[in-house]
Amino acid sequence: MQLLDNTTTQTLLDGQLDLWHTTFAFMKSMALKSAVDLGIADAIQHNGGAATLPEILSKVKLHPSKIPNLRRLMRVLTTTNVFSIQHPPTTEEGEPVYKLTPASQLLVSSQIPFATMLLNPMIVSPFFELGTWFQRELPDPCIFKQAHGMAVWELTRKDAAFDTLINKGLASDSQFILDVAIKLNAEVFQSISSLIDVGGGSGAAAQTISKAFPHVKCSVLDLEHIVAKAPAGTDVQYITGDMFESIPPANVVLLKFCMTGITRTV
């Protein structure tokens, strides 16, 4: 092999290791998806915040024959800090104990819908065609439209289940991010009187701001089929419109994820 003549063997082995790390990186996100699907974080939480494999197994209702497989899954999830592991002393027998980390604490609260959305096959599968997308000339469809024949927001109009997936996912992330923003930077909101969330969906972000700062008049601008399902009984005003045509005036314009899947030139 000519390559071995010009490069040290150890360097090539290190290169192969880098390739393997990159090639199998998808296992981390798929392990996370499995944890979300199985409700492993909830199982640990409901067991007092710490659980052995048999205890997790019983709560997620898997067959005992799956313990070796579950152990391998948890090995990946502890390596990536989704969970932590506490081994028994070497002088004692017993099962390792798994505990929640800051990452998995989010999986028992606000971030489950967001993780579920990002790990959904409809979102992940377009990336298998990324190389093909690069070979096409601009302007061309976004990678999502190339794979599914329509952009994200077009598909939400036609597929009710996908629409729910997207809106719940974005709403959960907005709730979390705005809670943090309000806690750390409340003074920013104290000095404004109006805010419009462009592409704000169900209005999770606007509702959070409105509840924390009643003096701020909060509005959401979104497409007709989104506004039609807006929740009632809130102080948030929902406005039907297209951000590429006009945005109602406000002290602050909030832009969060609203450009996702947009195919037109801006």
Side-chain angles (χ1 to χ4, degrees), residues 80-140:
T80 55
N81 295 319
V82 176
F83 300 106
S84 66
I85 182 171
Q86 181 179 332
H87 293 281
T90 55
T91 56
E92 299 179 13
E93 294 185 0
E95 285 280 345
V97 175
Y98 298 91
K99 297 182 178 180
L100 299 178
T101 64
S104 47
Q105 286 172 7
L106 291 173
L107 296 180
V108 295
S109 56
S110 62
Q111 292 295 284
I112 279 284
F114 192 60
T116 300
M117 178 192 75
L118 292 179
L119 295 170
N120 185 273
M122 290 289 288
I123 301 297
V124 174
S125 60
F127 290 95
F128 285 93
E129 303 299 326
L130 186 58
T132 302
W133 180 84
F134 270 106
Q135 293 172 358
R136 302 178 65 167
E137 293 183 12
L138 290 173
D140 60 348

Side-chain angles (χ1 to χ4, degrees), residues 35-264:
V36 170
D37 292 343
L38 294 172
I40 293 176
D42 282 328
I44 295 175
Q45 175 76 1
H46 293 157
N47 202 62
T52 63
L53 278 181
E55 290 169 338
I56 295 172
L57 196 84
S58 66
K59 292 187 180 298
V60 300
K61 298 180 180 179
L62 297 180
H63 191 274
S65 65
K66 290 292 186 179
I67 279 189
N69 307 91
L70 184 60
R71 192 184 308 277
R72 296 185 188 100
L73 175 64
M74 295 303 290
R75 186 178 299 143
V76 176
L77 293 168
T78 53
T79 300
T80 55
N81 295 319
V82 176
F83 300 106
S84 66
I85 182 171
Q86 181 179 332
H87 293 281
T90 55
T91 56
E92 299 179 13
E93 294 185 0
E95 285 280 345
V97 175
Y98 298 91
K99 297 182 178 180
L100 299 178
T101 64
S104 47
Q105 286 172 7
L106 291 173
L107 296 180
V108 295
S109 56
S110 62
Q111 292 295 284
I112 279 284
F114 192 60
T116 300
M117 178 192 75
L118 292 179
L119 295 170
N120 185 273
M122 290 289 288
I123 301 297
V124 174
S125 60
F127 290 95
F128 285 93
E129 303 299 326
L130 186 58
T132 302
W133 180 84
F134 270 106
Q135 293 172 358
R136 302 178 65 167
E137 293 183 12
L138 290 173
D140 60 348
C142 68
I143 189 172
F144 187 93
K145 186 172 184 178
Q146 175 182 280
H148 299 302
M150 60 187 74
V152 171
W153 306 120
E154 293 175 299
L155 187 57
T156 59
R157 294 192 190 99
K158 299 178 181 296
D159 187 326
F162 185 71
D163 183 52
T164 299
L165 174 78
I166 294 296
N167 281 297
K168 282 187 175 181
L170 296 181
S172 71
D173 187 62
S174 292
Q175 180 75 57
F176 173 69
I177 293 298
L178 263 297
D179 284 344
V180 173
I182 289 170
K183 181 178 181 179
L184 298 181
N185 299 286
E187 68 279 1
V188 173
F189 300 94
Q190 296 285 4
S191 60
I192 65 174
S193 61
S194 60
L195 175 146
I196 185 161
D197 186 359
V198 177
S202 61
Q207 289 178 44
T208 299
I209 295 170
S210 179
K211 290 176 182 177
F213 305 97
H215 72 280
V216 180
K217 180 183 178 182
C218 294
S219 305
V220 170
L221 175 71
D222 217 315
L223 301 175
E224 183 177 4
H225 76 286
I226 299 294
V227 173
K229 295 182 289 186
T234 75
D235 293 328
V236 174
Q237 179 185 10
Y238 291 85
I239 303 170
T240 298
D242 185 336
M243 66 180 180
F244 291 104
E245 295 178 359
S246 66
I247 296 176
N251 290 156
V252 173
V253 175
L254 179 61
L255 302 171
K256 183 177 182 295
F257 284 121
C258 65
M259 301 302 291
T260 304
I262 298 297
T263 57
R264 72 179 84 178

